[in-house]
Amino acid sequence: MKTIEILTQEAIALLKALIETPSFSSEEDQTALLIESWFTQNGIPFQRENNNVWAFNHHFDKSKPTLLLNSHHDTVKPNQGYTNDPFKAIEKEGKLFGLGSNDAGGCLVSLLATFVHFYHQENLPYNMVMVASAEEESSGKKGLNSVLQHLPELDCAIVGEPTLMQLAIAEKGLLVLDVVVKGTASHAAHQNEDNPIYNAMNVIDWFKTYQFEKISDVLGPVKMTVTQVTTGKQHNVVPAECHLVVDIRVNDCYSNTEILATVKSHVTAEVNPRSMHLNASSIPLQHGLVQAGIALGRTTYGSPTLSDQSVLSCQSLKLGPGETLRSHSADEFIYINEIEEGIQLYIKILTDFFKK
């Protein structure tokens, strides 16, 4: 078995290669090849569909529950404020710069190293499956959600995203609505009691003032925000419709289906969701993974940002090296010692979890 020190060195080398290989969402074919090579070099059989690559632990046992380790290898396009070459891995003053270094390359290579550490171990109480997924940044159809059909039922998961190795035990979901408020078109000079813009004012006020009853201990209340209003084409014509876009951040007390039903029951308008699969997620404070992290001095919190947790139906913990505030920023970086600590903590948390 490789030592943790050697696995860490190899993980950092892989991260450098990933940084220097462009992998925008849906264009991750070359980084998928790098991940295939990682599994091959470690003697681990893998499967691939589109740009998702996954593998199971050597002693997989169908009678045992399954733990998912997941992070993504796609990136957004580089921020225009970059002063470094985003596709060059630059190591300087303890930092590793480059696009995707923090989000979520550091998490991905740390989880890959962790998976290798446990791969050959016998008598684990859980099966392990490692998925390096695609299209996370775009919530694409060929990402983690497309892999789930090939996996056994998942009991729990660790999703690698930059959390400074603190425990994100809940994550808000996202529901984006296109709302069409109807009215009667007319000349602006004529009296019109059915102006859709005026009708929309009541709808906007409802989104502003309505409060969902259930408030999450970790994530707080559901938050609804009207972010776009579009209507009319010329000054002397009352339009037939007023179009709104509403951004809803859903807590872990509700499903997106429940939120949509409530909106439709209160709003006099046509309401169409852009998607329904980006649900809130959570894991109980008492769960063994969380308790193992707390015992190591980790703190818990609720995350407002989306990840691949949103497509999982099992209990999931978001946890990884790096800091979310660096994600999508110019001259993105991760500290080398964050990766070193991340691998050690992942292994320690799972080791303690497996003992319970």
Side-chain angles (χ1 to χ4, degrees):
M1 178 187 294
K2 293 180 179 178
T3 65
I4 295 176
E5 289 73 22
I6 289 175
L7 282 173
T8 300
Q9 292 171 10
E10 293 179 349
I12 293 169
L14 174 60
L15 178 54
K16 291 178 178 178
L18 290 170
I19 289 169
E20 297 189 347
T21 307
S23 57
F24 304 137
S25 292
S26 77
E27 301 174 15
E28 315 94 339
D29 53 304
Q30 294 303 304
T31 47
L33 290 175
L34 291 173
I35 295 162
E36 287 185 11
S37 295
W38 166 275
F39 283 128
T40 299
Q41 291 164 11
N42 285 283
I44 298 175
F46 62 86
Q47 299 179 55
R48 176 174 173 176
E49 183 177 83
N50 298 310
N51 294 325
N52 303 288
V53 187
W54 68 95
F56 298 94
N57 65 301
H58 184 66
H59 297 285
F60 186 91
D61 183 342
K62 291 182 179 179
S63 68
K64 295 178 179 180
T66 299
L67 165 70
L68 168 68
L69 304 180
N70 164 250
S71 192
H72 64 94
H73 59 104
D74 64 314
T75 70
V76 296
K77 293 189 176 180
N79 186 301
Q80 291 183 346
Y82 262 87
T83 61
N84 299 326
D85 182 346
F87 301 110
K88 185 174 181 180
I90 300 171
E91 191 172 343
K92 182 180 179 182
E93 297 176 350
K95 302 174 182 177
L96 179 58
F97 291 88
L99 183 64
S101 56
N102 182 77
D103 184 17
C107 301
L108 174 64
V109 300
S110 297
L111 283 172
L112 284 167
T114 300
F115 180 75
V116 172
H117 174 81
F118 286 101
Y119 177 73
H120 283 291
Q121 292 190 25
E122 300 182 44
N123 303 315
L124 292 174
Y126 282 74
N127 298 311
M128 299 181 72
V129 55
M130 174 71 215
V131 179
S133 54
E135 298 192 8
E136 189 273 347
E137 296 290 7
S138 63
S139 300
K141 295 181 179 179
K142 295 180 180 179
L144 176 62
N145 52 313
S146 69
V147 177
L148 298 177
Q149 62 183 319
H150 303 300
L151 306 182
E153 181 179 355
L154 300 174
D155 184 78
C156 56
I158 295 177
V159 175
E161 290 284 342
T163 70
L164 289 172
M165 289 306 289
Q166 305 303 331
L167 310 165
I169 61 173
E171 173 185 280
K172 281 193 172 181
L174 174 63
L175 185 61
V176 179
L177 303 180
D178 289 301
V179 179
V180 181
V181 183
K182 303 287 188 177
T184 301
S186 70
H187 193 292
H190 300 152
Q191 187 65 24
N192 185 344
E193 300 299 331
D194 191 30
N195 186 322
I197 299 174
Y198 296 159
N199 295 342
M201 293 170 67
N202 291 329
V203 174
I204 293 171
D205 187 63
W206 182 85
F207 282 114
K208 178 182 177 182
T209 59
Y210 185 83
Q211 295 183 348
F212 284 86
E213 180 180 352
K214 299 176 185 177
I215 298 176
S216 168
D217 291 337
V218 182
L219 296 174
V222 174
K223 185 177 186 299
M224 299 192 291
T225 307
V226 177
T227 56
Q228 293 176 259
V229 180
T230 309
T231 190
K233 292 186 177 180
Q234 60 190 71
H235 77 91
N236 60 349
V237 177
V238 175
E241 298 177 344
C242 182
H243 295 249
L244 313 176
V245 176
V246 185
D247 179 295
I248 304 179
R249 302 293 164 153
V250 183
N251 67 23
D252 53 323
C253 301
Y254 295 94
S255 68
N256 286 358
T257 301
E258 292 172 316
I259 298 293
L260 179 62
T262 299
V263 172
K264 286 186 172 182
S265 69
H266 285 82
V267 167
T268 303
E270 179 183 309
V271 180
N272 297 299
R274 293 187 179 179
S275 68
M276 293 296 291
H277 68 283
L278 301 176
N279 285 288
S281 57
S282 64
I283 190 169
L285 189 64
Q286 297 76 25
H287 194 280
L289 281 173
V290 179
Q291 289 299 309
I294 291 173
L296 293 171
R298 304 290 96 187
T299 59
T300 62
Y301 72 103
S303 172
T305 57
L306 277 175
S307 72
D308 271 330
Q309 281 185 287
S310 62
V311 304
L312 296 173
S313 58
C314 66
Q315 296 174 339
S316 57
L317 172 67
K318 184 157 69 176
L319 174 69
E323 183 177 9
T324 186
L325 294 177
R326 299 183 211 138
S327 300
H328 305 180
S329 65
D331 295 336
E332 180 183 347
F333 71 90
I334 190 168
Y335 287 99
I336 296 292
N337 64 10
E338 288 177 330
I339 299 172
E340 296 167 347
E341 179 193 44
I343 293 171
Q344 292 171 5
L345 281 170
Y346 276 143
I347 290 173
K348 182 60 175 169
I349 286 171
L350 286 172
T351 298
D352 293 349
F353 172 59
F354 290 151
K355 289 179 180 178
K356 293 183 182 297

